[in-house]
Amino acid sequence: MEIFAHRGSSGTHPENTLPAFREAAALPVHGVELDIHLSKDGELVVIHDEKVNRTTNGKGYVKDMSLAELKQLDAGSWKAAEWAGATIPTLAEVFGVFKDTGHILNVELKTDIFPYAGALEKVARLAAGQGMEKRLVISSFNHQDVQQAIHHQQLPGAILASNILVDIAAYAGTVGTKRLHLSLPYALRHGAELIGKGCEVYVYTVNRLDYAGQLQQLGASGIFTDYPEKMLMELK
Ligand code: G3P
Ligand code: MG
């Protein structure tokens, strides 16, 4: 079962920052997951929420701030004083961390609340420019963007879902993928049945070893965890 560091090694480091990604890059995990928004001036930035409030010392929407403004913010202190000075990284900076590693990069497009027109095309262009396109998986709760990634950018795409859907296996076929990134409750309840229908099931966010063991038993393809090092050591 593949292990992905969720938002980098986010249990021990500030999520979606270079320290969290450097930590993950040093581990023999399969890959890393990260979240993408667009700044006011159209730069791809790596942060989870639409607003900077929770994970920085600033306030407001990412979309209303330029990259220069976002770069002024401290994205580390909220986690612990030792991470003071960490900033919101650009996607290019994160690609740089993984340039010479074999890790898969799962870029989650946060385009379900604000559409961030052109974000997918920017990700694809940047990845091609940095030679990362073979190591990219695009996921989103915006399944139209997943479909675009598959059909227009020739990138592997995964459907993110937490609401329990009627016949998601058939739906995934319509989108053009077998790959489902499901919430933990969804996967525990329906994972085995969906794997039986030919889906590849990846599960977020799995921080408990007992759940990881159950998912491994039922044939899940991978997990997203905030504690990749712990999972590496303890999962057989
Ligand atoms: O991509 C898996 C997971 O990260 C999706 O949910 O809210 O943690 O981005 P969220
Ligand atoms: Mg995510």
Side-chain angles (χ1 to χ4, degrees):
M1 189 167 68
E2 297 169 5
I3 296 173
F4 282 77
H6 184 240
R7 310 179 192 174
S9 283
S10 62
T12 51
H13 296 66
E15 65 179 56
N16 283 325
T17 64
L18 294 184
F21 293 121
R22 288 193 191 108
E23 177 73 10
L27 296 173
V29 287
H30 194 78
V32 66
E33 186 263 5
L34 56 95
D35 306 289
I36 286 292
H37 294 259
L38 275 189
S39 67
K40 188 178 179 181
D41 48 347
E43 298 291 335
L44 292 163
V45 288
V46 181
I47 182 169
H48 181 270
D49 302 354
E50 281 67 31
K51 286 183 172 177
V52 299
N53 302 33
R54 181 179 61 87
T55 57
T56 78
N57 59 345
K59 275 199 174 120
Y61 287 102
V62 174
K63 70 175 179 60
D64 293 336
M65 303 171 83
S66 66
L67 178 60
E69 288 167 332
L70 291 166
K71 277 290 185 188
Q72 296 301 312
L73 304 178
D74 181 335
S77 295
W78 70 275
K79 183 78 172 173
E82 66 180 294
W83 304 114
T87 59
I88 297 171
T90 61
L91 183 59
E93 288 174 314
V94 177
F95 279 171
V97 171
F98 292 94
K99 191 164 179 42
D100 299 319
T101 75
H103 294 86
I104 299 296
L105 273 77
N106 174 200
V107 172
E108 181 187 343
L109 299 172
K110 288 288 189 195
T111 50
D112 47 319
I113 295 183
F114 300 120
Y116 296 126
L120 168 64
E121 291 74 12
K122 288 181 188 210
V123 171
R125 212 174 309 130
L126 181 70
Q130 296 201 9
M132 300 296 283
E133 71 278 15
K134 296 272 188 292
R135 290 198 274 140
L136 210 56
V137 175
I138 301 292
S139 65
S140 187
F141 288 101
N142 177 340
H143 301 162
Q144 291 180 336
D145 276 354
V146 175
Q147 194 175 40
Q148 290 281 322
I150 296 164
H151 293 298
H152 292 275
Q153 303 296 337
Q154 286 73 50
L155 291 169
I159 290 174
L160 267 163
S162 59
N163 291 344
I164 295 179
L165 303 176
V166 176
D167 206 354
I168 192 174
Y171 174 73
T174 303
V175 175
T177 187
K178 291 181 172 175
R179 185 164 174 148
L180 307 177
H181 290 188
L182 303 180
S183 66
L184 179 59
Y186 197 158
L188 289 173
R189 235 194 281 180
H190 293 288
E193 163 203 333
L194 292 170
I195 292 162
K197 289 183 176 175
C199 296
E200 296 165 7
V201 170
Y202 290 77
V203 189
Y204 68 91
T205 305
V206 185
N207 291 334
R208 274 174 49 172
L209 194 62
D210 55 346
Y211 287 142
Q214 282 182 50
L215 292 165
Q216 201 167 34
Q217 282 292 316
L218 68 80
S221 298
I223 58 169
F224 301 95
T225 180
D226 299 333
Y227 297 93
E229 191 169 19
K230 178 179 92 174
M231 286 295 173
L232 272 173
M233 283 193 308
E234 298 191 25
L235 270 183
K236 300 278 179 304

